mmCIF file of all heavy atoms in Angstrom:
data_model
loop_
_atom_site.group_PDB
_atom_site.id
_atom_site.type_symbol
_atom_site.label_atom_id
_atom_site.label_comp_id
_atom_site.label_asym_id
_atom_site.label_seq_id
_atom_site.Cartn_x
_atom_site.Cartn_y
_atom_site.Cartn_z
ATOM 1 N N ARG A 138 18.654 -3.623 -8.405
ATOM 2 C CA ARG A 138 17.477 -3.237 -7.605
ATOM 3 C C ARG A 138 16.331 -2.792 -8.490
ATOM 4 O O ARG A 138 15.171 -3.011 -8.152
ATOM 5 C CB ARG A 138 17.835 -2.121 -6.622
ATOM 6 C CG ARG A 138 18.907 -2.482 -5.635
ATOM 7 C CD ARG A 138 18.477 -3.563 -4.681
ATOM 8 N NE ARG A 138 19.640 -4.050 -3.945
ATOM 9 C CZ ARG A 138 19.663 -5.179 -3.291
ATOM 10 N NH1 ARG A 138 18.613 -5.960 -3.252
ATOM 11 N NH2 ARG A 138 20.747 -5.561 -2.660
ATOM 12 N N LEU A 139 16.639 -2.164 -9.617
ATOM 13 C CA LEU A 139 15.596 -1.759 -10.558
ATOM 14 C C LEU A 139 14.871 -2.977 -11.119
ATOM 15 O O LEU A 139 13.647 -2.968 -11.265
ATOM 16 C CB LEU A 139 16.204 -0.934 -11.695
ATOM 17 C CG LEU A 139 15.240 -0.507 -12.799
ATOM 18 C CD1 LEU A 139 14.199 0.456 -12.256
ATOM 19 C CD2 LEU A 139 15.999 0.131 -13.952
ATOM 20 N N ILE A 140 15.616 -4.032 -11.396
ATOM 21 C CA ILE A 140 14.996 -5.274 -11.880
ATOM 22 C C ILE A 140 14.034 -5.823 -10.832
ATOM 23 O O ILE A 140 12.918 -6.253 -11.149
ATOM 24 C CB ILE A 140 16.079 -6.311 -12.239
ATOM 25 C CG1 ILE A 140 16.857 -5.855 -13.469
ATOM 26 C CG2 ILE A 140 15.469 -7.684 -12.482
ATOM 27 C CD1 ILE A 140 18.115 -6.641 -13.727
ATOM 28 N N LEU A 141 14.434 -5.774 -9.553
ATOM 29 C CA LEU A 141 13.570 -6.256 -8.479
ATOM 30 C C LEU A 141 12.317 -5.401 -8.338
ATOM 31 O O LEU A 141 11.203 -5.927 -8.175
ATOM 32 C CB LEU A 141 14.329 -6.282 -7.150
ATOM 33 C CG LEU A 141 15.525 -7.212 -7.041
ATOM 34 C CD1 LEU A 141 16.116 -7.139 -5.647
ATOM 35 C CD2 LEU A 141 15.144 -8.635 -7.384
ATOM 36 N N VAL A 142 12.473 -4.086 -8.413
ATOM 37 C CA VAL A 142 11.322 -3.186 -8.294
ATOM 38 C C VAL A 142 10.360 -3.396 -9.452
ATOM 39 O O VAL A 142 9.141 -3.459 -9.257
ATOM 40 C CB VAL A 142 11.800 -1.706 -8.220
ATOM 41 C CG1 VAL A 142 10.636 -0.753 -8.394
ATOM 42 C CG2 VAL A 142 12.492 -1.442 -6.903
ATOM 43 N N GLU A 143 10.910 -3.535 -10.651
ATOM 44 C CA GLU A 143 10.035 -3.734 -11.814
ATOM 45 C C GLU A 143 9.342 -5.085 -11.777
ATOM 46 O O GLU A 143 8.209 -5.215 -12.226
ATOM 47 C CB GLU A 143 10.823 -3.545 -13.109
ATOM 48 C CG GLU A 143 11.130 -2.087 -13.358
ATOM 49 C CD GLU A 143 11.801 -1.826 -14.687
ATOM 50 O OE1 GLU A 143 12.379 -2.770 -15.280
ATOM 51 O OE2 GLU A 143 11.759 -0.662 -15.126
ATOM 52 N N SER A 144 9.976 -6.096 -11.195
ATOM 53 C CA SER A 144 9.288 -7.385 -11.067
ATOM 54 C C SER A 144 8.135 -7.269 -10.067
ATOM 55 O O SER A 144 7.082 -7.872 -10.261
ATOM 56 C CB SER A 144 10.265 -8.487 -10.647
ATOM 57 O OG SER A 144 10.653 -8.311 -9.308
ATOM 58 N N ARG A 145 8.326 -6.456 -9.003
ATOM 59 C CA ARG A 145 7.226 -6.211 -8.066
ATOM 60 C C ARG A 145 6.084 -5.449 -8.738
ATOM 61 O O ARG A 145 4.907 -5.710 -8.467
ATOM 62 C CB ARG A 145 7.727 -5.430 -6.853
ATOM 63 C CG ARG A 145 8.153 -6.342 -5.736
ATOM 64 C CD ARG A 145 8.574 -5.532 -4.551
ATOM 65 N NE ARG A 145 10.010 -5.238 -4.704
ATOM 66 C CZ ARG A 145 10.677 -4.367 -4.002
ATOM 67 N NH1 ARG A 145 10.077 -3.637 -3.097
ATOM 68 N NH2 ARG A 145 11.961 -4.194 -4.194
ATOM 69 N N ILE A 146 6.437 -4.515 -9.618
ATOM 70 C CA ILE A 146 5.413 -3.759 -10.353
ATOM 71 C C ILE A 146 4.596 -4.701 -11.222
ATOM 72 O O ILE A 146 3.367 -4.640 -11.241
ATOM 73 C CB ILE A 146 6.063 -2.654 -11.212
ATOM 74 C CG1 ILE A 146 6.620 -1.551 -10.314
ATOM 75 C CG2 ILE A 146 5.067 -2.072 -12.207
ATOM 76 C CD1 ILE A 146 7.473 -0.530 -11.042
ATOM 77 N N HIS A 147 5.277 -5.604 -11.944
ATOM 78 C CA HIS A 147 4.562 -6.542 -12.827
ATOM 79 C C HIS A 147 3.675 -7.488 -12.021
ATOM 80 O O HIS A 147 2.541 -7.784 -12.415
ATOM 81 C CB HIS A 147 5.558 -7.335 -13.681
ATOM 82 C CG HIS A 147 6.275 -6.494 -14.686
ATOM 83 N ND1 HIS A 147 5.638 -5.732 -15.636
ATOM 84 C CD2 HIS A 147 7.597 -6.273 -14.877
ATOM 85 C CE1 HIS A 147 6.515 -5.096 -16.377
ATOM 86 N NE2 HIS A 147 7.728 -5.402 -15.936
ATOM 87 N N ARG A 148 4.170 -7.945 -10.877
ATOM 88 C CA ARG A 148 3.397 -8.855 -10.032
ATOM 89 C C ARG A 148 2.150 -8.148 -9.488
ATOM 90 O O ARG A 148 1.054 -8.702 -9.502
ATOM 91 C CB ARG A 148 4.265 -9.356 -8.882
ATOM 92 C CG ARG A 148 3.530 -10.282 -7.929
ATOM 93 C CD ARG A 148 4.409 -10.643 -6.785
ATOM 94 N NE ARG A 148 5.523 -11.467 -7.235
ATOM 95 C CZ ARG A 148 6.039 -12.453 -6.535
ATOM 96 N NH1 ARG A 148 5.570 -12.727 -5.351
ATOM 97 N NH2 ARG A 148 7.033 -13.160 -6.993
ATOM 98 N N LEU A 149 2.326 -6.917 -9.025
ATOM 99 C CA LEU A 149 1.215 -6.152 -8.471
ATOM 100 C C LEU A 149 0.201 -5.792 -9.553
ATOM 101 O O LEU A 149 -1.011 -5.817 -9.310
ATOM 102 C CB LEU A 149 1.760 -4.882 -7.814
ATOM 103 C CG LEU A 149 0.954 -4.254 -6.709
ATOM 104 C CD1 LEU A 149 0.637 -5.262 -5.621
ATOM 105 C CD2 LEU A 149 1.704 -3.081 -6.114
ATOM 106 N N THR A 150 0.689 -5.487 -10.749
ATOM 107 C CA THR A 150 -0.197 -5.189 -11.872
ATOM 108 C C THR A 150 -1.056 -6.396 -12.218
ATOM 109 O O THR A 150 -2.259 -6.270 -12.470
ATOM 110 C CB THR A 150 0.625 -4.763 -13.103
ATOM 111 O OG1 THR A 150 1.418 -3.636 -12.752
ATOM 112 C CG2 THR A 150 -0.263 -4.418 -14.265
ATOM 113 N N ARG A 151 -0.439 -7.580 -12.200
ATOM 114 C CA ARG A 151 -1.194 -8.809 -12.459
ATOM 115 C C ARG A 151 -2.316 -8.983 -11.445
ATOM 116 O O ARG A 151 -3.449 -9.327 -11.797
ATOM 117 C CB ARG A 151 -0.241 -10.008 -12.392
ATOM 118 C CG ARG A 151 -0.199 -10.799 -13.645
ATOM 119 C CD ARG A 151 0.618 -12.074 -13.604
ATOM 120 N NE ARG A 151 1.302 -12.436 -12.392
ATOM 121 C CZ ARG A 151 2.629 -12.347 -12.205
ATOM 122 N NH1 ARG A 151 3.401 -11.866 -13.154
ATOM 123 N NH2 ARG A 151 3.175 -12.739 -11.083
ATOM 124 N N TYR A 152 -1.999 -8.738 -10.179
ATOM 125 C CA TYR A 152 -3.009 -8.865 -9.128
ATOM 126 C C TYR A 152 -4.145 -7.855 -9.325
ATOM 127 O O TYR A 152 -5.319 -8.214 -9.235
ATOM 128 C CB TYR A 152 -2.363 -8.657 -7.752
ATOM 129 C CG TYR A 152 -3.378 -8.425 -6.670
ATOM 130 C CD1 TYR A 152 -4.138 -9.480 -6.165
ATOM 131 C CD2 TYR A 152 -3.609 -7.154 -6.169
ATOM 132 C CE1 TYR A 152 -5.083 -9.269 -5.192
ATOM 133 C CE2 TYR A 152 -4.557 -6.939 -5.187
ATOM 134 C CZ TYR A 152 -5.290 -7.996 -4.704
ATOM 135 O OH TYR A 152 -6.239 -7.773 -3.747
ATOM 136 N N TYR A 153 -3.797 -6.603 -9.601
ATOM 137 C CA TYR A 153 -4.828 -5.574 -9.744
ATOM 138 C C TYR A 153 -5.671 -5.772 -10.994
ATOM 139 O O TYR A 153 -6.836 -5.375 -11.023
ATOM 140 C CB TYR A 153 -4.200 -4.176 -9.736
ATOM 141 C CG TYR A 153 -3.862 -3.698 -8.349
ATOM 142 C CD1 TYR A 153 -2.605 -3.194 -8.055
ATOM 143 C CD2 TYR A 153 -4.793 -3.766 -7.321
ATOM 144 C CE1 TYR A 153 -2.293 -2.754 -6.778
ATOM 145 C CE2 TYR A 153 -4.492 -3.343 -6.044
ATOM 146 C CZ TYR A 153 -3.246 -2.835 -5.778
ATOM 147 O OH TYR A 153 -2.944 -2.411 -4.518
ATOM 148 N N LYS A 154 -5.112 -6.376 -12.032
ATOM 149 C CA LYS A 154 -5.922 -6.706 -13.209
ATOM 150 C C LYS A 154 -6.953 -7.769 -12.858
ATOM 151 O O LYS A 154 -8.116 -7.689 -13.258
ATOM 152 C CB LYS A 154 -5.029 -7.210 -14.352
ATOM 153 C CG LYS A 154 -4.340 -6.109 -15.113
ATOM 154 C CD LYS A 154 -3.545 -6.713 -16.252
ATOM 155 C CE LYS A 154 -2.749 -5.686 -16.983
ATOM 156 N NZ LYS A 154 -1.946 -6.263 -18.060
ATOM 157 N N ARG A 155 -6.513 -8.783 -12.087
ATOM 158 C CA ARG A 155 -7.447 -9.836 -11.650
ATOM 159 C C ARG A 155 -8.534 -9.269 -10.758
ATOM 160 O O ARG A 155 -9.696 -9.658 -10.851
ATOM 161 C CB ARG A 155 -6.692 -10.927 -10.897
ATOM 162 C CG ARG A 155 -6.515 -12.197 -11.686
ATOM 163 C CD ARG A 155 -5.888 -13.291 -10.859
ATOM 164 N NE ARG A 155 -4.495 -12.971 -10.560
ATOM 165 C CZ ARG A 155 -3.963 -12.982 -9.338
ATOM 166 N NH1 ARG A 155 -4.686 -13.321 -8.301
ATOM 167 N NH2 ARG A 155 -2.706 -12.664 -9.148
ATOM 168 N N ALA A 156 -8.163 -8.337 -9.888
ATOM 169 C CA ALA A 156 -9.121 -7.755 -8.953
ATOM 170 C C ALA A 156 -10.026 -6.726 -9.630
ATOM 171 O O ALA A 156 -11.052 -6.354 -9.069
ATOM 172 C CB ALA A 156 -8.388 -7.105 -7.790
ATOM 173 N N GLY A 157 -9.639 -6.265 -10.807
ATOM 174 C CA GLY A 157 -10.443 -5.282 -11.524
ATOM 175 C C GLY A 157 -10.175 -3.851 -11.089
ATOM 176 O O GLY A 157 -10.935 -2.944 -11.434
ATOM 177 N N THR A 158 -9.117 -3.620 -10.342
ATOM 178 C CA THR A 158 -8.791 -2.272 -9.871
ATOM 179 C C THR A 158 -8.128 -1.456 -10.970
ATOM 180 O O THR A 158 -8.327 -0.248 -11.056
ATOM 181 C CB THR A 158 -7.837 -2.354 -8.655
ATOM 182 O OG1 THR A 158 -8.379 -3.283 -7.722
ATOM 183 C CG2 THR A 158 -7.671 -1.019 -7.989
ATOM 184 N N VAL A 159 -7.349 -2.115 -11.804
ATOM 185 C CA VAL A 159 -6.650 -1.470 -12.911
ATOM 186 C C VAL A 159 -7.281 -1.965 -14.204
ATOM 187 O O VAL A 159 -7.784 -3.087 -14.272
ATOM 188 C CB VAL A 159 -5.135 -1.831 -12.847
ATOM 189 C CG1 VAL A 159 -4.410 -1.385 -14.086
ATOM 190 C CG2 VAL A 159 -4.511 -1.197 -11.630
ATOM 191 N N ALA A 160 -7.262 -1.135 -15.231
ATOM 192 C CA ALA A 160 -7.835 -1.518 -16.525
ATOM 193 C C ALA A 160 -7.157 -2.779 -17.062
ATOM 194 O O ALA A 160 -5.950 -2.967 -16.867
ATOM 195 C CB ALA A 160 -7.655 -0.375 -17.523
ATOM 196 N N PRO A 161 -7.924 -3.652 -17.730
ATOM 197 C CA PRO A 161 -7.335 -4.906 -18.229
ATOM 198 C C PRO A 161 -6.239 -4.701 -19.275
ATOM 199 O O PRO A 161 -5.402 -5.575 -19.474
ATOM 200 C CB PRO A 161 -8.520 -5.654 -18.852
ATOM 201 C CG PRO A 161 -9.717 -4.828 -18.632
ATOM 202 C CD PRO A 161 -9.349 -3.563 -17.955
ATOM 203 N N ASN A 162 -6.215 -3.542 -19.924
ATOM 204 C CA ASN A 162 -5.176 -3.299 -20.939
ATOM 205 C C ASN A 162 -4.005 -2.495 -20.381
ATOM 206 O O ASN A 162 -3.127 -2.081 -21.138
ATOM 207 C CB ASN A 162 -5.779 -2.582 -22.143
ATOM 208 C CG ASN A 162 -6.380 -1.239 -21.781
ATOM 209 O OD1 ASN A 162 -6.486 -0.873 -20.613
ATOM 210 N ND2 ASN A 162 -6.811 -0.514 -22.798
ATOM 211 N N PHE A 163 -3.960 -2.273 -19.060
ATOM 212 C CA PHE A 163 -2.854 -1.538 -18.444
ATOM 213 C C PHE A 163 -1.589 -2.364 -18.529
ATOM 214 O O PHE A 163 -1.580 -3.551 -18.240
ATOM 215 C CB PHE A 163 -3.163 -1.230 -16.972
ATOM 216 C CG PHE A 163 -2.042 -0.539 -16.251
ATOM 217 C CD1 PHE A 163 -1.867 0.815 -16.356
ATOM 218 C CD2 PHE A 163 -1.146 -1.267 -15.477
ATOM 219 C CE1 PHE A 163 -0.838 1.460 -15.702
ATOM 220 C CE2 PHE A 163 -0.114 -0.645 -14.815
ATOM 221 C CZ PHE A 163 0.042 0.727 -14.932
ATOM 222 N N LYS A 164 -0.509 -1.711 -18.962
ATOM 223 C CA LYS A 164 0.780 -2.390 -19.038
ATOM 224 C C LYS A 164 1.861 -1.401 -18.620
ATOM 225 O O LYS A 164 1.901 -0.275 -19.105
ATOM 226 C CB LYS A 164 1.043 -2.896 -20.449
ATOM 227 C CG LYS A 164 2.294 -3.733 -20.573
ATOM 228 C CD LYS A 164 2.262 -4.547 -21.849
ATOM 229 C CE LYS A 164 3.523 -5.353 -22.040
ATOM 230 N NZ LYS A 164 3.673 -6.444 -21.100
#
Side-chain angles (χ1 to χ4, degrees):
R138 300 294 168 197
L139 177 65
I140 292 168
L141 297 182
V142 168
E143 286 185 340
S144 71
R145 268 183 272 167
I146 290 171
H147 292 304
R148 179 184 293 216
L149 206 54
T150 302
R151 239 186 359 254
Y152 165 75
Y153 281 130
K154 280 183 185 178
R155 254 186 291 128
T158 311
V159 170
N162 60 352
F163 177 82
K164 186 162 177 69

